[in-house]
Amino acid sequence: MKRNMKQWVTDYINAPAKKGMPILSFPGIQLIGHTVEELVRSGELQAQCMKAIADRFDTGVAFSLMDLSVEAEAFGAPVHYSEDEVPTVHGTLINDEDEAEALKVPKVGDGRTGECVEGIRRACELITDRPVLAGIIGPYSLAGRLLDMTEIMILCYEEPEMVESVLEKATEFLIEYAKAFKEAGANGVCMAEPAAGLLSPNLIDEFSTPYVQKIREAVEDENFVVMYHNCGNITPLMQNISDIDAVAYSVGNAIDIEEALKVIPADKMIIGNIDPAGTIRNGNPETVYKETTDLLERCGKYPNFVIASGCDIPPVSPMENIEAFFDAVRDFYNK
C-alpha cells in the first residue's frame, strides 16, 4: 500500500508507544510448513511467510528475507543451500583484474531475483496494515561476496581500481533491483551492508558510503525509503554512517546502541539491537523478556529509538522466545 514514508518515520518517532521492528521473516517457515531452501526459491512462499509473520506478530513493519546470497548468485557466485539455514556464498567468483573487467551486470530476474521481486509484489497485496520493506545487500558487502571477504580488504589497499570496478557494477545492479521492488509496491528497502563495518573510517568513505548514497539517491522519495543496516562493530564509524543521511538505521548487537543514538540525528529512526542468535535463537523466554525490557528502559528515553533485533532472526528460533520479545514491548509501553 502506498504511503508517505518520510511522514511515517516522523510520526513513528513522535509516537509515545512504538511497535517492535525485529528483522523477522525466516522463522515464518515454522508457520507455513516449508524448508528454508523451498522458501528462498519461491516468491509465493516468501509472501506467505511474511503474511504468516504479520498475522502472528504485531510488528511495526513487514521485513522480507535477509538473504545476502541472492544478488551474488545473480552475478554467478556459487551458493550453498540448506533446509534450515540461510543460503551462503561459497567460493570466489572474481580472481583478478581481467575477471573484474569482464564481469557482466545481471538483469533483474536473473537467478532468484525475479522470485524475490514477485514475493514482494504478492506480499504487498497480502499485507496492507503496515509498511513492507524488501531486502537488498549493500554494495561493498556484495563486492566482498564476489571477490572474497578477506581478499577485498587487501585489494582496497593494493588494487583499489579493481575493487571500484566491481563496486560500480554492483551499484548499477542494486539500483535496478531496488527500483524493481519499488515498482512491485514495496515502501522501501532495508539495505544490509555489514561487511562495511570491517573498514576503517577512511576506507568506508571510499568504498562503501558513496555507493550507498548513490543507490539511495536513485530510488528514494517520499513514498520509498532506504533503511541502512549494519550489524558490525560500527562504533568507530558512527559519524561516517551518519553521513549516509538515511531516514532509518538498523544496528546490530556488536555495539551499544546508545552510542548510535548519541551521534545519529534525532530525526532519524534507529532500530535494534537484541542479539538475534545468542538471545532470541538460543535463549529462553525469560532472558528474552528481560533483555528486551532492560534495553527499552535504558534507550526508550530517545524518541527515535525503536526496539528490534540486531540482525535477521534465525529460521529455527523458538516461537515462544519471539513472543516473549513482543510481550516485553507491549508491557513496557502499557505501563
Side-chain angles (χ1 to χ4, degrees), residues 120-142:
I120 288 296
R121 188 184 312 280
R122 180 73 177 125
C124 290
E125 296 171 354
L126 297 173
I127 304 168
T128 59
D129 63 343
R130 68 200 77 179
V132 173
L133 297 185
I136 66 170
I137 197 171
Y140 181 79
S141 298
L142 175 53

Side-chain angles (χ1 to χ4, degrees), residues 192-215:
E193 183 69 323
L198 300 171
L199 297 171
S200 69
N202 287 339
L203 289 181
I204 197 172
D205 283 348
E206 182 175 358
F207 294 106
S208 176
T209 300
Y211 300 96
V212 170
Q213 288 173 323
K214 186 173 182 179
I215 296 165

Side-chain angles (χ1 to χ4, degrees), residues 20-22 274 280 285 288-289 292 307-309 320-330:
M21 290 188 192
I274 301 297
I280 298 178
V288 173
Y289 187 96
T292 303
I307 192 79
S309 54
E320 57 267 30
N321 288 357
I322 298 171
E323 287 167 352
F325 169 89
F326 286 99
D327 288 344
V329 176
R330 183 196 62 237

Side-chain angles (χ1 to χ4, degrees), residues 37-55:
E37 183 169 2
E38 290 170 336
L39 184 69
V40 299
R41 294 183 185 276
S42 167
E44 177 58 32
L45 289 182
Q46 290 169 32
Q48 290 179 24
C49 183
M50 292 174 67
K51 173 62 172 169
I53 289 291
D55 288 345

Side-chain angles (χ1 to χ4, degrees), residues 48 58 112 123 132 138-139 144 152 156 175 220 244 252-253 261 275 277:
Q48 290 179 24
D58 192 19
R112 289 177 287 131
V132 173
I152 193 173
C156 284
I175 287 172
E220 198 169 68
I244 291 168
N253 55 284
L261 289 160
D275 184 348

Side-chain angles (χ1 to χ4, degrees), residues 12-334:
Y12 218 92
I13 289 172
N14 292 331
K18 297 174 173 64
K19 297 179 181 180
M21 290 188 192
I23 303 176
L24 175 60
S25 52
F26 275 109
I29 61 169
Q30 301 173 54
L31 302 176
I32 64 173
H34 286 274
T35 66
V36 170
E37 183 169 2
E38 290 170 336
L39 184 69
V40 299
R41 294 183 185 276
S42 167
E44 177 58 32
L45 289 182
Q46 290 169 32
Q48 290 179 24
C49 183
M50 292 174 67
K51 173 62 172 169
I53 289 291
D55 288 345
R56 178 75 173 264
F57 301 108
D58 192 19
T59 60
V61 298
F63 285 103
S64 73
L65 309 184
M66 188 174 279
D67 178 355
L68 305 190
S69 70
V70 172
E71 297 90 342
E73 187 180 49
F75 273 90
V79 169
H80 173 73
Y81 292 91
S82 167
E83 287 195 353
D84 56 7
E85 297 290 342
V86 180
T88 54
V89 174
H90 279 249
T92 303
L93 183 66
I94 303 166
N95 297 285
D96 54 42
E97 194 169 344
D98 288 342
E99 290 180 354
E101 286 298 318
L103 182 68
K104 292 189 187 313
V105 178
K107 294 185 172 138
V108 176
D110 289 350
R112 289 177 287 131
T113 61
E115 288 296 326
C116 292
V117 172
E118 185 54 35
I120 288 296
R121 188 184 312 280
R122 180 73 177 125
C124 290
E125 296 171 354
L126 297 173
I127 304 168
T128 59
D129 63 343
R130 68 200 77 179
V132 173
L133 297 185
I136 66 170
I137 197 171
Y140 181 79
S141 298
L142 175 53
R145 280 160 175 76
L146 301 176
L147 288 161
D148 179 79
M149 282 299 182
T150 302
E151 190 67 19
I152 193 173
M153 298 289 293
I154 300 168
L155 292 171
C156 284
Y157 291 100
E158 296 184 352
E159 296 188 56
E161 297 86 359
M162 177 176 166
V163 177
E164 288 166 359
S165 173
V166 176
L167 279 167
E168 286 167 5
K169 293 178 181 183
T171 300
E172 179 184 341
F173 173 75
L174 290 172
I175 287 172
E176 295 308 311
Y177 195 31
K179 285 181 177 177
F181 283 128
K182 187 176 185 178
E183 176 64 26
N187 302 110
V189 292
C190 180
M191 177 191 289
E193 183 69 323
L198 300 171
L199 297 171
S200 69
N202 287 339
L203 289 181
I204 197 172
D205 283 348
E206 182 175 358
F207 294 106
S208 176
T209 300
Y211 300 96
V212 170
Q213 288 173 323
K214 186 173 182 179
I215 296 165
R216 183 182 64 76
E217 291 167 3
V219 301
E220 198 169 68
D221 57 32
E222 67 177 15
N223 299 313
F224 190 89
V225 296
V226 175
M227 176 183 285
Y228 177 87
H229 170 79
N230 195 315
C231 53
N233 181 10
I234 57 172
T235 301
L237 304 171
M238 209 66 71
Q239 188 57 58
N240 308 78
I241 286 172
S242 179
D243 291 342
I244 291 168
D245 198 31
V247 299
Y249 292 86
S250 167
V251 300
N253 55 284
I255 71 163
D256 179 350
I257 196 170
E258 197 165 6
E259 296 302 315
L261 289 160
K262 290 175 180 176
V263 175
I264 293 174
D267 62 343
K268 312 293 187 181
M269 180 186 289
I270 302 175
I271 78 168
N273 68 340
I274 301 297
D275 184 348
T279 299
I280 298 178
R281 167 65 180 89
N282 296 319
N284 56 53
E286 292 74 25
T287 58
V288 173
Y289 187 96
K290 183 180 186 308
E291 289 189 24
T292 303
T293 301
D294 289 348
L295 186 58
L296 281 164
E297 289 178 345
R298 186 160 65 89
C299 294
K301 62 189 177 185
Y302 297 92
N304 59 329
F305 168 73
V306 180
I307 192 79
S309 54
C311 196
D312 196 24
I313 295 176
V316 293
S317 299
M319 282 290 156
E320 57 267 30
N321 288 357
I322 298 171
E323 287 167 352
F325 169 89
F326 286 99
D327 288 344
V329 176
R330 183 196 62 237
D331 291 349
F332 177 82
Y333 284 113
N334 283 345

